[in-house]
Amino acid sequence: MGQQGQEIDSLSFTDVEIDDPFWSPRIRTNRDVTIEYQYEQLKESGTLENFRRAAEGLSGGFSGMWFQDSDAYKWLEAASYVLATEADPDLKSRVDEVVELIDAAQEDDGYLNTYFTLVEPGERWTNLHIMHELYCAGHLVEAAVAHHRSTGEHSLLDIATTFVDHIEDVFGDDDFDGAPGHEELELALVKLYRVTDEERYLDLAQYFVDVRGHDADRFRWEIEHADEVAGYGEGKALDKGPVKTFLDDNGEYDGSYAQAHVPLEEQTTVEGHSVRAMYLYAGVTDLAMETDDEIPVAVLEDLWHNMTERRMYITGGIGPEAEHEGFTEDYDLRNEDAYAETCAAIGSIFWNQRMLEFTGEAKYADLIERTLYNGFLAGIGLNGKKFFYENPLKSSGDHHRKGWFTCACCPPNAARLFASLGGYLFGQDENSLFIHQYVGSNVSADVDDSTVDLELKSDLPWSGDVTIDVTVSDKSSFPLCLRVPSWSEETSISVNGEPVDPTVEDNYLILEREWTDDRIDISFEQTVREIRAHPDVESDAGLVAIERGPLVYCFEATDNDRSLHQYVLPRDGQFEAEHRESLLGGMTILRGEASIPDLSEWESCLYRPVRKTEREDATLTAVPYFAWDNREPGEMRVWVRGEE
Amino acid sequence: MGQQGQEIDSLSFTDVEIDDPFWSPRIRTNRDVTIEYQYEQLKESGTLENFRRAAEGLSGGFSGMWFQDSDAYKWLEAASYVLATEADPDLKSRVDEVVELIDAAQEDDGYLNTYFTLVEPGERWTNLHIMHELYCAGHLVEAAVAHHRSTGEHSLLDIATTFVDHIEDVFGDDDFDGAPGHEELELALVKLYRVTDEERYLDLAQYFVDVRGHDADRFRWEIEHADEVAGYGEGKALDKGPVKTFLDDNGEYDGSYAQAHVPLEEQTTVEGHSVRAMYLYAGVTDLAMETDDEIPVAVLEDLWHNMTERRMYITGGIGPEAEHEGFTEDYDLRNEDAYAETCAAIGSIFWNQRMLEFTGEAKYADLIERTLYNGFLAGIGLNGKKFFYENPLKSSGDHHRKGWFTCACCPPNAARLFASLGGYLFGQDENSLFIHQYVGSNVSADVDDSTVDLELKSDLPWSGDVTIDVTVSDKSSFPLCLRVPSWSEETSISVNGEPVDPTVEDNYLILEREWTDDRIDISFEQTVREIRAHPDVESDAGLVAIERGPLVYCFEATDNDRSLHQYVLPRDGQFEAEHRESLLGGMTILRGEASIPDLSEWESCLYRPVRKTEREDATLTAVPYFAWDNREPGEMRVWVRGEE
């Protein structure tokens, strides 16, 4: 049963059990290390203490960032996803404890934000552009929905709905209009609608989308009256720094930082803070699915084209600029100073999953795959305890993952994605089953009056070999649609050992037959590809990147003798893949022909005419980009010089 | 009569009259525009008012930077050079007026520094690392020497010697040791010795060199007691920012910013603030000439090799880092953010001129030529009113010359170099005459009991054609030594129309004959050269720069259709030179074969595998680097992509 206007319903994370040689250890580390570690951080950073103080009716003594409540909510969301697929009484009791704390901290009228309760109780809703009350509310709602779907309980859901009802009252006032400074609540309200069937939550989400970017918007007023609003001033959360993110070079108001420069339907380029942008687009796509409205999705498709054709790293990372954590201009894809925040990659996965659901187009699943294996996965250290906030594509060796951040948005965001990865793999429409991502797993779905069990085994990302065992409760004929990854140059497929040649629609193989108990074997060919960037990308001029299967590779100093800028890949050079079980838990490395300069000609000489090539043969070794900075520190590059 | 230990005495600027199609208009602009403009700036910036207030015994009300007195001294020096070669009553009267002001501002005990007189009269000599009393004294002395040599007057010289005598008293105290935080006085004291014959000035210069960089140095004490010294604090010149330039990454004292990390004889790499370094090395070379001491020059030669083989831009510019205005590490030659301060290029010319005098080696004259036509000349706009402080080798189009600077060291430094350029062209040892630089000029020298007049005509930098008319008062036989520029791939020479084939020693052609009235015609071949940088220079990897004759060329957006990073020069491409009289007062441009990407293959595509070259032919146009940013603003690059 798809939603209205929705092509393909994703199968829920609650119905998918992941069992995959690549992903399962990472999900295990996420559960055993990251979620534990993050719980400790909730305590150490004072996040839980903020709730406790608010619950006890204390004043002041707020610790950390003013939106730090959201760390607890994201942890709850991740922990809830874990509880959906495994019994874990210890984790469950800590979840219960945190939920109780939150419950106690909620004010009598439903309001819930410990910064305001403790520091500026009289200043609620006066500073929407930066104070993140609605952003935190969104994460509360997402946690509540996850908690309810995993446990069946209503405790956190009740807290969330009470707060949302209060928000509805505040923003229902005809004299007060405003949008969230950091989008998030929009998509959360659609989730809330989906578990409650309360249409007013959809209406509130639509209101927040519609009010954004209008001339008389609240943000403009707040920026112009920054002295009068919450957050700014002695003893408060902030100096006036954030105000300037809402000003253009001439000091005039410009809402593009929060996608509020013009109404969404007039936006044609992805602008501003990239996490904000992704969450907005995800929420709008959700709304469009519920309202069967093609118009906003057409706008989003244009934005998607702008992003993917002009403003996205090859890793799927987005947002090159650190200062406003976001987008700049077409083809600005600087490598060394790339911001490419881990949360933005996660946000892009959220949005693309919804676009995939709405349109059924494989390109969105392709981008999810690219982002998942590269721009997202690089953000998390192999030990599960260290994280990148920024994901540059070039480093001189001084950029390293850290244990935690003052603004700790990325680690818990990664945790909730790992813990809910099962929800990104399979889809279903009225009579078809879809496999979007090849992650080893078991899933059950009701199709055509039959219960279908799929047992998927995948050797991705190291090879393109996939096996699917299909078991049906009753003989059933339905199309099983298998995405052909864009990187597969040749795909071979057999059913029960017999080669088949199914039709392909929009990069989905359509396998339709009367299913009994059947085995499907697929081989997606993985070749090593030398990729160039559009000629307008100055940062990549003269450079090539190496991909194999879904992986973008990179070069690290520890594997290569010379400084990486000295290597040049020849025009038709070959790379050989070699799987090393002993390397970082098992990695396929690539070794390729290259040339390096003959240094003997350069003694005591800084500049000289060189007419002929004075180069010698060398080998260049690459490792998956996601695995970088897990060994000795040193230089790293995704893009290396390649002969034209 | 060379100084002791000196190979080649430079002929004085007072004996050389420049008449050159390239340089004369620039020297004229320097005289008519720059020096006038800078005099106005001395008034507008409050520099002269500071002297006036000090003279009137007032307190407070100091304007500008704490070392701003030096702007007046540098202007006086430049104006004095002008007065050496032309009568200019108006300029002379302004010079007199400024000298009188300075005289009146000098304190009774000889001390002279308007910042301290007006703001911190009790705190003299308490903060040597940054307060620049000795630096200002050095510029006073240089101005005084120039003024005395040009006018024969003693007024400014007396002021300077009185102040230096006071300094001698202060630093002669056995309980007080200290070196100038910004070197400059050392070289000035040697100049002062040369006009006064007072050896104690040499001794004082030697003292300042010797005291620098010892463990118990004054700077360390000042940094550790920054609260107690002049300059820092409310109402004073500075916050404590400069302290951190004397700290290493661990917060420990590190004097390398001012070349005070170890004694000079232990220094093997050029470090710290690059203008400071150049002035120190110049002063040390001066001292070595006077004391006939080879040891410090051997140290300086090692430093010169480090600088020119690892830490110098192709333009002769030095010091890539903005934060401390100086050197960083070997092969750090970033282009876009290059600092390469105009004053540092000027300082390098000062130092190299002295190394040339000491050693007689042509390589120093080569570097002076490179720096003069490129790293220095780019600093001054063609209109004489706008200046670069930083000289990047790559710009996205937003780096432009400015009229003046808060720290206005570069414009008056450029003015004094233009006005004294005659002093850099010719040399003389016991019996030979040397031509170091080919700038059209007339000069007289006494050689071998004869007065020799040289009338030199030069077509540099646009061609390598040079004519020299030699006239002697009495028949005389002496070697005339003509430098062969390192860029000349083939040199032909004739005397009175007859080809000759003289010996060459260290890149000087030795023309020895009995001179009567003779004409020498020389042609230094100018070819277009594609230059590569050492493979360890990451910023230039895969790139080439174009030189012709003494000029480094660059590429500007206004001459080229595509973004400059899209052009690739082929392996054996040709450039054609074309002189355009109408372009910026006459420029030889270069037009070369290049290729650009075929954009038609890239529609709606950001990344894709490209195996074959998809490029088309194009022409790339270059202009001299010194001329950049004199037309429409836009992208600029010295280094462009070149096929390996």
Side-chain angles (χ1 to χ4, degrees):
Chain A
M1 292 186 315
Q3 311 287 338
Q4 269 196 312
Q6 187 175 6
E7 289 277 338
I8 301 174
D9 207 4
S10 294
L11 297 190
S12 167
F13 65 93
T14 55
D15 298 329
V16 179
E17 183 196 337
I18 291 179
D19 180 10
D20 182 88
F22 182 83
W23 288 101
S24 290
R26 290 175 165 78
I27 292 169
R28 196 72 247 156
T29 300
N30 184 58
R31 164 64 195 92
D32 293 345
V33 180
T34 311
I35 290 177
E36 291 299 308
Y37 179 67
Q38 290 177 3
Y39 180 74
E40 291 308 312
Q41 293 295 331
L42 291 183
K43 291 197 289 191
E44 279 183 28
S45 64
T47 307
L48 296 184
E49 183 62 18
N50 289 337
F51 284 103
R52 190 165 293 119
R53 290 182 65 83
E56 290 172 5
L58 298 172
S59 177
F62 180 85
S63 295
M65 304 290 275
W66 63 104
F67 50 86
Q68 198 150 304
D69 290 359
S70 63
D71 291 350
Y73 301 147
K74 280 194 274 191
W75 179 83
L76 275 179
E77 184 183 346
S80 296
Y81 293 138
V82 171
L83 295 177
T85 47
E86 61 185 81
D88 188 330
D90 174 62
L91 183 63
K92 179 65 168 62
S93 77
R94 278 178 290 163
V95 164
D96 289 346
E97 204 179 313
V98 176
V99 170
E100 277 165 34
L101 258 183
I102 295 169
D103 188 29
Q106 186 164 35
E107 299 198 27
D108 292 342
D109 60 358
Y111 183 85
L112 181 51
N113 183 296
T114 69
Y115 170 80
F116 279 90
T117 300
L118 293 174
V119 185
E120 298 193 75
E123 302 297 321
R124 295 176 183 179
W125 314 119
T126 61
N127 184 349
L128 300 180
H129 72 273
I130 196 65
M131 289 309 291
H132 291 356
E133 288 156 287
L134 295 170
Y135 168 82
C136 290
H139 278 300
L140 169 65
V141 171
E142 283 207 274
V145 170
H147 183 253
H148 174 70
R149 289 175 68 190
S150 293
T151 65
E153 295 174 13
H154 282 80
S155 51
L156 194 57
L157 195 63
D158 288 344
I159 298 168
T161 52
T162 305
F163 188 18
V164 171
D165 294 347
H166 174 78
I167 291 168
E168 205 184 359
D169 284 346
V170 171
F171 288 83
D173 185 330
D174 284 347
D175 294 335
F176 185 76
D177 265 334
H182 191 314
E183 302 93 321
E184 153 66 19
L185 184 54
E186 300 85 342
L187 72 90
L189 287 169
V190 181
K191 283 189 174 182
L192 188 60
Y193 159 73
R194 288 175 183 164
V195 294
T196 63
D197 274 334
E198 290 274 5
E199 293 212 357
R200 60 200 174 90
Y201 298 140
L202 279 190
D203 296 341
L204 184 57
Q206 191 71 56
Y207 162 81
F208 282 134
V209 169
D210 291 343
V211 78
R212 176 173 298 274
H214 285 276
D215 258 1
D217 73 15
R218 169 89 194 169
F219 297 158
R220 179 191 298 271
W221 182 91
E222 290 171 355
I223 300 301
E224 289 166 1
H225 298 78
D227 287 327
E228 304 166 29
V229 303
Y232 299 129
E234 209 171 325
K236 299 182 185 171
L238 287 163
D239 65 16
K240 298 247 179 62
V243 169
K244 74 172 189 296
T245 57
F246 283 86
L247 301 177
D248 66 16
D249 290 344
N250 302 319
E252 298 293 314
Y253 173 78
D254 171 8
S256 61
Y257 172 64
Q259 299 75 47
H261 46 305
V262 291
L264 181 70
E265 61 267 25
E266 295 172 26
Q267 299 187 22
T268 55
T269 52
V270 292
E271 299 293 344
H273 187 273
S274 45
V275 178
R276 282 170 165 80
M278 295 303 104
Y279 286 9
L280 171 64
Y281 305 159
V284 171
T285 318
D286 275 336
L287 269 171
M289 283 191 271
E290 299 306 332
T291 57
D292 201 11
D293 187 354
E294 300 274 348
I295 294 168
V297 176
V299 171
L300 292 177
E301 276 175 344
D302 285 349
L303 291 170
W304 191 89
H305 283 287
N306 175 249
M307 179 173 97
T308 58
E309 293 167 15
R310 294 170 183 233
R311 301 189 179 198
M312 188 184 78
Y313 289 100
I314 192 170
T315 57
I318 47 173
E321 174 69 47
E323 202 176 331
H324 66 275
E325 305 186 310
F327 296 106
T328 54
E329 54 195 40
D330 288 351
Y331 304 115
D332 172 10
L333 292 162
R334 57 189 95 159
N335 290 308
E336 186 145 17
D337 303 321
Y339 198 68
E341 187 181 339
T342 303
C343 279
I346 295 170
S348 171
I349 291 171
F350 292 164
W351 177 35
N352 277 282
Q353 182 74 355
R354 287 157 172 88
M355 292 296 280
L356 173 64
E357 291 170 352
F358 192 97
T359 67
E361 291 180 27
K363 65 185 182 191
Y364 300 110
D366 276 325
L367 182 52
I368 290 169
E369 184 185 65
R370 175 178 293 278
T371 310
L372 204 55
Y373 281 100
N374 302 288
F376 160 68
L377 198 51
I380 300 94
L382 291 179
N383 69 4
K385 283 187 191 176
K386 293 198 164 184
F387 307 89
F388 280 139
Y389 201 110
E390 305 99 330
N391 291 277
L393 279 76
K394 176 175 186 294
S395 166
S396 57
D398 54 3
H399 184 71
H400 305 299
R401 295 183 185 83
K402 291 182 187 159
W404 203 251
F405 304 90
T406 314
C407 173
C409 52
C410 300
N413 226 351
R416 65 184 182 136
L417 179 54
F418 271 122
S420 61
L421 188 64
Y424 294 83
L425 313 183
F426 302 98
Q428 180 171 25
D429 68 7
E430 273 174 40
N431 56 7
S432 308
L433 262 185
F434 291 82
I435 303 182
H436 300 311
Q437 307 296 342
Y438 296 93
V439 174
S441 50
N442 299 298
V443 63
S444 279
D446 293 328
V447 187
D448 195 22
D449 298 327
S450 174
T451 299
V452 182
D453 290 307
L454 302 182
E455 185 183 348
L456 189 154
K457 288 190 180 1
S458 163
D459 200 31
L460 262 66
W462 311 126
S463 92
D465 293 341
V466 172
T467 306
I468 304 158
D469 285 309
V470 183
T471 315
V472 291
S473 60
D474 301 280
K475 272 191 186 176
S476 172
S477 179
F478 62 90
L480 182 60
C481 309
L482 308 166
R483 183 177 64 94
V484 182
S486 59
W487 46 260
S488 178
E489 295 201 358
E490 197 162 321
T491 300
S492 54
I493 181 162
S494 65
V495 179
N496 301 326
E498 296 293 318
V500 294
D501 188 16
T503 57
V504 179
E505 280 178 25
D506 180 40
N507 291 324
Y508 279 87
L509 289 161
I510 315 290
L511 269 186
E512 186 159 10
R513 56 186 289 137
E514 184 158 311
W515 299 99
T516 49
D517 286 358
D518 302 292
R519 159 161 294 198
I520 305 164
D521 289 292
I522 320 172
S523 176
F524 299 119
E525 192 188 355
Q526 291 198 341
T527 48
V528 178
R529 304 179 303 285
E530 285 190 20
I531 307 293
R532 287 187 183 267
H534 190 286
D536 284 336
V537 182
E538 179 173 353
S539 305
D540 299 337
L543 306 179
V544 295
I546 304 298
E547 294 181 341
R548 180 175 180 272
L551 297 179
V552 175
Y553 275 72
C554 74
F555 305 90
E556 286 197 277
T558 187
D559 299 312
N560 297 288
D561 299 332
R562 290 283 189 93
S563 293
L564 299 174
H565 70 265
Q566 296 192 0
Y567 291 88
V568 176
L569 298 180
R571 216 169 256 148
D572 293 303
Q574 297 299 313
F575 271 87
E576 285 190 3
E578 177 192 329
H579 196 73
R580 292 196 186 162
E581 271 310 328
S582 60
L583 181 66
L584 297 172
M587 295 280 163
T588 297
I589 65 158
L590 302 177
R591 294 167 58 81
E593 301 163 17
S595 73
I596 50 176
D598 176 359
L599 295 178
S600 66
E601 303 291 324
W602 283 97
E603 214 173 316
S604 303
C605 176
L606 184 52
Y607 302 106
R608 66 191 180 94
V610 178
R611 286 176 188 277
K612 284 184 298 185
T613 298
E614 296 168 342
R615 301 186 68 82
E616 49 198 32
D617 292 342
T619 300
L620 190 53
T621 299
V623 295
Y625 172 71
F626 74 76
W628 86 278
D629 192 44
N630 280 292
R631 295 176 293 165
E632 303 90 296
E635 194 190 358
M636 183 280 293
R637 273 176 174 243
V638 168
W639 293 93
V640 291
R641 293 163 59 197
E643 251 189 298
E644 288 289 347
Chain B
M1 288 192 317
Q3 312 285 340
Q4 271 195 310
Q6 187 173 8
E7 290 275 339
I8 302 174
D9 207 5
S10 294
L11 297 190
S12 168
F13 66 92
T14 55
D15 297 330
V16 178
E17 185 197 334
I18 290 178
D19 180 9
D20 182 87
F22 183 82
W23 287 103
S24 289
R26 289 175 165 78
I27 291 170
R28 195 74 247 154
T29 299
N30 184 58
R31 163 65 195 91
D32 293 345
V33 179
T34 311
I35 289 177
E36 291 299 308
Y37 178 69
Q38 289 176 3
Y39 179 74
E40 291 308 312
Q41 292 296 330
L42 290 183
K43 292 197 288 191
E44 278 183 28
S45 64
T47 307
L48 297 184
E49 182 62 18
N50 289 337
F51 284 102
R52 190 166 293 120
R53 290 182 65 82
E56 290 172 4
L58 298 172
S59 177
F62 179 86
S63 295
M65 303 290 274
W66 63 104
F67 50 86
Q68 198 152 304
D69 290 0
S70 62
D71 291 351
Y73 302 147
K74 280 195 275 192
W75 179 83
L76 274 179
E77 185 183 344
S80 297
Y81 293 139
V82 170
L83 296 177
T85 48
E86 62 184 83
D88 189 329
D90 173 62
L91 183 63
K92 179 67 168 63
S93 77
R94 277 179 290 161
V95 164
D96 289 345
E97 202 179 312
V98 175
V99 170
E100 277 165 34
L101 256 185
I102 294 170
D103 188 29
Q106 188 164 35
E107 300 199 27
D108 292 341
D109 60 359
Y111 183 86
L112 181 52
N113 183 296
T114 68
Y115 171 79
F116 278 90
T117 300
L118 294 174
V119 185
E120 298 193 75
E123 302 298 320
R124 297 175 181 179
W125 314 118
T126 60
N127 184 349
L128 300 180
H129 73 273
I130 196 65
M131 290 309 291
H132 291 357
E133 288 156 286
L134 295 170
Y135 167 84
C136 289
H139 277 301
L140 170 64
V141 170
E142 283 206 274
V145 170
H147 183 252
H148 173 70
R149 289 175 70 190
S150 292
T151 63
E153 295 174 13
H154 283 79
S155 52
L156 193 57
L157 194 64
D158 288 344
I159 297 169
T161 53
T162 305
F163 189 19
V164 170
D165 294 347
H166 175 77
I167 291 169
E168 203 184 1
D169 284 347
V170 171
F171 288 84
D173 186 329
D174 284 347
D175 295 335
F176 184 76
D177 267 335
H182 191 314
E183 301 93 322
E184 154 65 18
L185 184 54
E186 300 86 342
L187 72 88
L189 286 169
V190 180
K191 284 189 174 181
L192 188 60
Y193 159 73
R194 286 174 183 165
V195 295
T196 62
D197 273 334
E198 290 273 8
E199 293 212 357
R200 59 197 177 91
Y201 297 141
L202 280 190
D203 296 340
L204 185 58
Q206 190 71 56
Y207 162 81
F208 282 135
V209 169
D210 291 343
V211 79
R212 177 174 297 276
H214 286 277
D215 258 1
D217 74 13
R218 170 89 192 167
F219 298 158
R220 179 192 297 271
W221 182 90
E222 290 170 357
I223 301 301
E224 289 167 2
H225 298 79
D227 286 326
E228 305 166 30
V229 302
Y232 298 129
E234 208 170 327
K236 299 180 183 174
L238 287 162
D239 65 16
K240 297 245 179 62
V243 169
K244 74 171 188 296
T245 58
F246 283 86
L247 302 178
D248 66 17
D249 289 343
N250 302 318
E252 297 295 313
Y253 173 78
D254 170 9
S256 61
Y257 172 64
Q259 298 75 47
H261 46 305
V262 289
L264 181 69
E265 60 268 25
E266 295 171 26
Q267 298 186 23
T268 55
T269 51
V270 293
E271 299 293 344
H273 187 273
S274 46
V275 178
R276 282 170 164 80
M278 294 302 104
Y279 286 8
L280 171 65
Y281 305 159
V284 170
T285 318
D286 275 336
L287 269 172
M289 282 192 271
E290 299 305 332
T291 57
D292 201 10
D293 187 353
E294 301 274 350
I295 294 168
V297 177
V299 171
L300 292 177
E301 276 176 343
D302 284 349
L303 291 171
W304 191 88
H305 282 288
N306 174 250
M307 179 174 95
T308 57
E309 293 166 15
R310 295 170 182 234
R311 301 189 179 197
M312 188 184 80
Y313 288 100
I314 193 170
T315 57
I318 47 173
E321 173 69 47
E323 200 176 333
H324 66 276
E325 305 187 308
F327 295 107
T328 54
E329 54 196 40
D330 289 350
Y331 305 116
D332 173 10
L333 292 161
R334 57 190 96 159
N335 290 309
E336 185 144 18
D337 302 321
Y339 199 69
E341 187 182 338
T342 304
C343 279
I346 294 170
S348 171
I349 291 171
F350 292 164
W351 177 35
N352 278 282
Q353 182 73 356
R354 287 157 172 87
M355 292 296 280
L356 173 64
E357 290 170 350
F358 191 98
T359 67
E361 291 180 27
K363 66 185 181 193
Y364 300 110
D366 275 325
L367 182 51
I368 290 169
E369 184 184 67
R370 176 179 293 279
T371 310
L372 203 55
Y373 280 100
N374 303 288
F376 159 68
L377 198 52
I380 300 94
L382 291 178
N383 68 4
K385 281 187 190 174
K386 293 200 165 183
F387 307 89
F388 279 138
Y389 201 110
E390 304 99 331
N391 291 277
L393 281 76
K394 176 175 188 294
S395 166
S396 57
D398 54 3
H399 183 71
H400 305 299
R401 294 183 186 83
K402 293 181 186 160
W404 202 251
F405 303 90
T406 314
C407 173
C409 52
C410 299
N413 225 352
R416 66 185 182 135
L417 179 55
F418 272 123
S420 61
L421 188 63
Y424 293 82
L425 312 182
F426 301 99
Q428 179 172 25
D429 67 7
E430 272 172 40
N431 56 7
S432 308
L433 263 185
F434 291 82
I435 303 182
H436 300 311
Q437 307 296 342
Y438 296 93
V439 174
S441 52
N442 300 298
V443 63
S444 278
D446 291 329
V447 187
D448 195 24
D449 298 327
S450 173
T451 298
V452 181
D453 289 308
L454 301 183
E455 185 182 347
L456 188 155
K457 290 191 178 3
S458 164
D459 200 29
L460 263 65
W462 311 126
S463 92
D465 294 342
V466 172
T467 306
I468 305 158
D469 285 309
V470 184
T471 315
V472 292
S473 60
D474 301 281
K475 272 192 185 174
S476 173
S477 179
F478 63 89
L480 182 61
C481 308
L482 307 167
R483 183 176 65 93
V484 182
S486 59
W487 46 261
S488 178
E489 294 200 359
E490 196 161 323
T491 300
S492 55
I493 180 163
S494 65
V495 179
N496 302 324
E498 297 292 316
V500 294
D501 188 15
T503 57
V504 179
E505 281 178 24
D506 179 40
N507 290 324
Y508 279 88
L509 289 162
I510 315 292
L511 268 187
E512 186 159 10
R513 56 186 288 137
E514 185 159 308
W515 299 99
T516 50
D517 287 357
D518 301 292
R519 159 160 294 201
I520 305 164
D521 289 293
I522 319 173
S523 176
F524 300 118
E525 191 187 357
Q526 289 198 343
T527 47
V528 177
R529 303 180 302 284
E530 285 190 19
I531 307 292
R532 286 187 184 265
H534 190 287
D536 284 338
V537 182
E538 180 173 353
S539 304
D540 299 338
L543 307 179
V544 295
I546 304 298
E547 294 182 341
R548 180 175 179 272
L551 297 179
V552 174
Y553 275 72
C554 75
F555 305 89
E556 286 196 278
T558 186
D559 298 312
N560 298 288
D561 298 332
R562 290 283 188 94
S563 293
L564 299 174
H565 69 265
Q566 296 193 0
Y567 291 88
V568 176
L569 298 180
R571 217 169 254 147
D572 294 303
Q574 298 297 312
F575 272 87
E576 285 189 4
E578 177 192 330
H579 196 73
R580 291 197 186 161
E581 272 310 329
S582 61
L583 180 64
L584 297 171
M587 296 281 163
T588 298
I589 65 158
L590 302 177
R591 294 167 58 81
E593 302 163 16
S595 73
I596 50 176
D598 176 359
L599 295 179
S600 66
E601 301 292 324
W602 282 98
E603 214 174 315
S604 303
C605 177
L606 184 52
Y607 303 106
R608 68 191 179 95
V610 178
R611 287 174 187 278
K612 284 185 298 183
T613 298
E614 295 168 342
R615 302 187 67 83
E616 50 198 32
D617 292 342
T619 301
L620 190 53
T621 300
V623 296
Y625 172 71
F626 74 76
W628 86 277
D629 193 44
N630 279 292
R631 296 176 292 165
E632 302 91 296
E635 194 188 1
M636 182 280 293
R637 272 176 173 242
V638 169
W639 294 93
V640 291
R641 292 164 61 197
E643 250 188 299
E644 289 289 346

